[in-house]
Amino acid sequence: MDLTKEHESLFFVCLEDWSEEMKEAGNHKCTWYNHMKDKGLGVKLAVDDTGNVGGMIQYLPIEHANAVGQDVYFIDCIWVHKHKEGRGDFSKQGMGKALLKAAEEDAQSRGAKGMVAWGVSMPFWMKASWYKKQGYKKVDKNGMALLMWKPFVEDAVIPKWMKQVKTPEANTNPGKVTLTVFYSGHCPVQNLLLERAKRVKALYEHRVVLNEINTIHQDVFREWGILDGLFIEDKQVNHGPPLTYKKLLKLVEKRLSKLT
């Protein structure tokens, strides 16, 4: 089913309305949705036989994604709720396949020549191997992030990852550390990092410089070639699950200790 007003608040927390972490992520996803809903964003929900929402998928024109292509749609999240908390485990019911099929059909109806998604090479979140089973193939790689591609027509242009244009500069102010957070609002993981960076900034008000770069605006996004990311000085902090506040604080304090 398409996303309706009734389920918007549930979508904004990625079906995890029981999660304190999702509350901590703030309202950035709501802001992103309201900005993108008239720019081609598609959202589908999967429900079980009793009408309970157990899965979701969001996809949009590739121009708004961290990839480069032509006349294709990009899947930046597909998620079937598997936690014991809250809604419970909806895995092994075919929801993922149903969501993907619905998104592909919708994209085709909008004139898309193909569908592209990102998948992880390791067997956890957004597994690339799952997309391969659904008829997708790897066409580009950026670390563990693989770009998975399914053309709908023969003349579809193969997409590729967007290249980073520039990197945040290291702080030149003596005794201070710079945190730079790139976020568009589309993913609670990055939204959490932003909110936790704000907490670190509040704790070390005079020793931490926080740069918030909102990539929801295409000109900003294209200027950097970075959609989401966390940098301490000019070094990107790699993360899978969102960094906890304690881990982020420890990284910043370690850096500060070298300046004293």
Side-chain angles (χ1 to χ4, degrees), residues 238-253:
N238 294 319
H239 60 86
L243 285 176
T244 64
Y245 170 70
K246 288 184 178 179
K247 286 184 178 179
L248 178 56
L249 181 61
K250 186 176 180 180
L251 289 173
V252 172
E253 288 179 336

Side-chain angles (χ1 to χ4, degrees), residues 71-83:
D71 300 324
V72 297
Y73 262 69
F74 183 95
I75 299 170
D76 64 11
C77 183
I78 180 169
W79 164 237
V80 174
H81 194 282
K82 299 177 181 178
H83 299 291

Side-chain angles (χ1 to χ4, degrees), residues 117-133:
W118 70 275
V120 180
S121 56
M122 300 296 285
F124 48 89
W125 170 252
M126 297 283 285
K127 294 183 290 186
S129 58
W130 181 81
Y131 281 107
K132 186 176 180 180
K133 292 177 182 178

Side-chain angles (χ1 to χ4, degrees), residues 173-177 207 233 254-260:
N173 294 325
K176 293 188 177 183
V177 171
R207 300 201 63 196
E233 300 296 351
K254 182 179 179 179
R255 178 67 183 174
L256 286 170
S257 68
K258 295 179 179 180
L259 302 177
T260 57

Side-chain angles (χ1 to χ4, degrees), residues 130-149:
W130 181 81
Y131 281 107
K132 186 176 180 180
K133 292 177 182 178
Q134 316 310 318
Y136 287 68
K137 65 178 181 179
K138 181 183 76 172
V139 292
D140 203 358
K141 181 179 181 180
N142 183 12
M144 288 195 301
L146 306 183
L147 201 62
M148 307 300 293
W149 165 240

